[in-house]
Every structure is written in structure tokens, then in C-alpha cells.
Amino acid sequence: MTLPADLDNDAGALRAAMVKGLSEVDPDAGLPVHPAWLAAAEKVPRHAFVPGFYLPSDEPDAHGPTVWEPVTSKSDYGRWLAASYSDTTLITQFDGEETDWRQPAVRHGGAPTSSSTLPSLVLRMWSDADVAEEHTVLEIGTGTGYSTALACERLGSSHVTSVEVDAVRLEAAADALYGCGYTPTLGRADGSYGYWPEAWFDRIVAACSFRSAPSALLSQTRPGGKLLLPLSGWLYGNARVLLTVAGDGTAEGPLLPGTISFMPARTHAAPAYGNPADWAAGLHEVRPRSARHAPERITAATEEAFHLRFLAQSAVPDAQMVTVGGVLHLIDVVSGAVATLTPEDGYWGVRESGPVKLWSRIEDFVDAFDAAGRPGPETYTLRVDGDGQRLLHTQVPQLRLPSGD
């Protein structure tokens, strides 16, 4: 299909409106995006990086999963272009499977594995990383290439390196970047190990999350340089940290405020745990106790619960969580520990077995969190040194993150 002759005009108008909206930040929502990044967004044609994507239908299918509708310029030009310049994450891949955008099909459920992140978050990440014009940057997770293009527009292509683990995704991003005149260094690589051929970097910014800061990224950062890393874990608690690397290889920096999440790096994703019923099979013989804290403390759709889940996850770093038939299961595939929380008459009944008392450990941390006045993420510091990676707070017991490798 030949695109309309007035595509550039249509896209330009929508792009200007999008950037105007992104510049009008609520002062209570955080710091405004740096004007240089807004200027870059005014020039980069996002539609060139998303020839096809999925949007959720208004209704799930009969069995509950989300129905994902493919959108392309051919199937619905107006919807495609409007979505391209909306402040929305556009899903471009599920379950690591590529879509033939010439004949895309509706999808029912699935795990998103690649996307074009919503522009406000892309600009927020670059802005929070404290990037200046002379800096060299490494981007972890090229994705569609849109974020890479923004960095090239501001810094110049020679200052930008971007790596992507998915070869097909990288090829598509390269085609879009080169088609728009951007020529960064691109490499197919596992972002956990950075990209040594172009090191050292003044800034490293990740568009995927890690369980902790990978040591290779610390080693590839120039002394005084900074890493902006999303952190997550197997309870799907999320945070972001801005680390400054010292000359001796140590690093330290604050958690950043907000409830932002990213897809996990594929090598840091949670392992399969099997059938929850198998794990809980022996727990019927365990006498339940009454939970001191209900699971809603970490599962509720609130900013505090989002933050507390990340912290609680650090207390039980190998645990995963799933609810089946109203019963919450915590499963630790490393130690073999398991816990269940079952709604009883007016309370939650806790059963635990294995070498780690999973819910008890979470409750102990929640007690300390409450006693400290429920401190927000910006009051925590992540320190990386010879003793490992630790989340530090003056009033709450320290938490150790898993190894970054």
C-alpha cells in the first residue's frame, strides 16, 4: 500500500501536539522533561519505527485474556497514525514471536516481549540520566529504535551505541534508523554484558529491567559516569536507580520516585515454577496462623503497595507469587520454600514450609517499614561495593539484591 501523500503533514501536526502535551507536566508529578529532549521529540518521526503494533480491545475474550488487535497503516491509517503519536506504549511483539505485518492476526493473551515505550517515559528516562551534549551513551534494549533515534537527534549518531538481544528486532530497528538518517553503533548483544567494543561510556540507560546492577555495566562506565537502571524481580516489584560510578569501581545512588516498570531483561526473567498445586500439596498438614499483614499490602493498585512490593521482593529475592482460586502462593524455586495465604473468616491464614519462611520474612520487613513511617523510594540508596549490592535506609534494615551477573 502506498501511504498518503500528506503523511508528513499529518504526522508533523500530531507530533507537535504530542510534544506540546509532554511539555505541560504537572509540577506535582515530577520534574519537567529537559527542553533538549522535547526538541529532539519534535523532529523524530515515531511512526517510522512502528509500522505495526497491537492495541487492546475494549473487551476480553470469553475466557478472560486480553484481545489484542493488530493496527497497521494499511488496516486503519487514521488509528495507526494517531496511536503512533499518542503517549501510549505500543506492543510490537508477544512471546518472542515476530508478526507478519502484511497479514497480522488478532491475538488472545500472551506476554509482551517488545514494544515502543510511551514517549513520556522515554523522555523521562533520558532526562533523568542527566545526559549532556558531549556524552557518549550506551542504550540497553534498542527495541523499535525510537528511543535510540531521540538520542542520536540530540547527541549525534557517533555518540550513541545501542544493543538488542533479539536479532529480528534489531534488524527492523536498524532499517528504521538508517531510513531516517541516523547511524548509531548497533550490536546484537545481551544487555547484561554491555558492549565492550565501544566502552567506556559517560551514561548507560537501560530500557529493560534487571534484578540488580550487572557488574559489566559498572565496569564500562567512565569514573564519574552514571547508570540509569530499572530494577525488578520475580514478584514483579519495580524501581529505578541512578547510580554514579566511582574510580574504584564502587557505585551509589538513590532510587527514583514514581511507579514505572519495564519488561525484564530476558536473562533476568523469572524461571518457570510448574504447577502451584504441586508446591502446596503438603501444606494441608501445616496448621495455619493468622497473617499480621494481608497480601493487599503488596498487591493493591496503589503507589505505596507498588513500592513496598519491590522492597518486600528484595527480602525474598527468589520468590514468585501467583493467586489460584483466591489462594495466594509464594514459591521459591531456589530453596524449595513455599507459603500460601488463604482467605478465612475475617483473616488470612498463612501456611509455610521449607528453609525460608517466605511470608514471615515479608511481614518482618513490613513491620520495620511501618515503624519507620513508610518511607518513599527516594529515601533509599543502592550501594554497590565489595560487600555486594545493598539497599540502605537510616531507619529500615538493609536489603541485599541478588548478584548482578
Side-chain angles (χ1 to χ4, degrees):
M1 174 184 176
T2 302
L3 293 174
D6 55 356
L7 170 61
D8 288 342
N9 290 334
D10 292 344
L14 289 170
R15 185 161 59 249
M18 180 188 76
V19 173
K20 183 176 185 296
L22 296 176
S23 67
E24 297 172 348
V25 177
D26 180 351
D28 294 331
L31 295 175
V33 173
H34 193 287
W37 291 113
L38 293 171
E42 289 176 346
K43 297 179 181 179
V44 175
R46 191 187 187 206
H47 69 272
F49 296 89
V50 284
F53 47 82
Y54 291 94
L55 293 177
S57 174
D58 292 335
E59 298 292 335
D61 73 10
H63 301 287
T66 300
V67 176
W68 294 95
E69 299 173 345
V71 180
T72 67
S73 59
K74 181 178 180 180
S75 65
D76 191 333
Y77 170 77
R79 189 184 187 195
W80 166 75
L81 194 59
S84 296
Y85 291 103
S86 65
D87 191 27
T88 304
T89 292
L90 304 174
I91 306 299
T92 55
Q93 186 192 74
F94 286 91
D95 302 319
E97 302 171 357
E98 286 298 321
T99 296
D100 181 354
W101 292 109
R102 296 168 298 180
Q103 295 180 312
V106 172
R107 292 192 63 105
H108 294 253
T113 48
S114 189
S115 67
S116 178
T117 303
L118 66 162
S120 62
L121 179 49
V122 173
L123 296 175
R124 166 58 54 207
M125 291 290 286
W126 283 123
S127 194
D128 284 347
D130 191 26
V131 177
E133 272 67 14
E134 70 276 8
H135 285 156
T136 56
V137 302
L138 170 64
E139 177 189 41
I140 306 296
T142 313
T144 65
Y146 174 66
S147 175
T148 318
L150 291 170
C152 291
E153 184 64 46
R154 180 176 178 191
L155 302 174
S157 296
S158 65
H159 284 64
V160 179
T161 299
S162 184
V163 296
E164 169 63 50
V165 71
D166 188 312
V168 177
R169 288 282 87 213
L170 184 63
E171 182 178 4
D175 288 344
L177 285 160
Y178 299 155
C180 292
Y182 303 115
T183 57
T185 297
L186 299 175
R188 184 191 175 200
D190 181 337
S192 302
Y193 300 97
Y195 199 66
W196 279 107
E198 296 294 316
W200 292 352
F201 302 99
D202 296 299
R203 297 290 185 270
I204 296 180
V205 177
C208 57
S209 62
F210 299 96
R211 298 181 74 199
S212 56
S215 60
L217 300 186
L218 297 169
S219 299
Q220 292 174 36
T221 304
R222 199 181 306 278
K226 297 181 180 181
L227 289 81
L228 182 60
L229 299 177
L231 299 173
S232 68
W234 295 350
L235 291 185
Y236 297 102
N238 295 271
R240 291 187 307 151
V241 64
L242 182 61
L243 292 170
T244 299
V245 178
D248 60 1
T250 63
E252 188 168 319
L255 297 186
L256 302 181
T259 55
I260 294 169
S261 63
F262 282 83
M263 297 176 191
R266 296 187 186 184
T267 51
H268 283 227
Y273 50 74
N275 185 348
D278 294 339
W279 287 86
L283 287 181
H284 67 279
E285 300 176 358
V286 177
R287 182 174 181 177
R289 65 170 178 82
S290 179
R292 301 200 307 275
H293 296 287
E296 289 84 2
R297 287 299 303 274
I298 64 171
T299 62
T302 65
E303 189 166 335
E304 181 181 270
F306 189 93
H307 167 52
L308 185 53
R309 189 190 314 174
F310 171 75
L311 298 174
Q313 162 188 272
S314 301
V316 288
D318 299 320
Q320 298 181 63
M321 180 170 60
V322 62
T323 298
V324 180
V327 178
L328 184 144
H329 297 67
L330 289 169
I331 297 168
D332 185 332
V333 301
V334 176
S335 71
V338 62
T340 60
L341 282 82
T342 305
E344 306 289 353
D345 186 14
Y347 71 98
W348 285 87
V350 179
R351 292 178 171 88
E352 299 172 295
S353 70
V356 180
K357 303 306 180 189
L358 297 173
W359 192 250
S360 295
R361 185 171 291 186
I362 289 174
E363 287 184 316
D364 289 344
F365 181 80
V366 174
D367 286 341
F369 178 80
D370 289 346
R374 302 184 175 186
E378 63 279 2
T379 65
Y380 285 82
T381 296
L382 177 62
R383 178 161 180 81
V384 183
D385 56 24
D387 292 328
Q389 302 195 25
R390 295 163 292 152
L391 280 170
L392 305 175
H393 190 279
T394 57
Q395 297 175 279
V396 181
Q398 71 173 10
L399 295 167
R400 288 190 174 273
L401 274 62
S403 167
D405 303 302

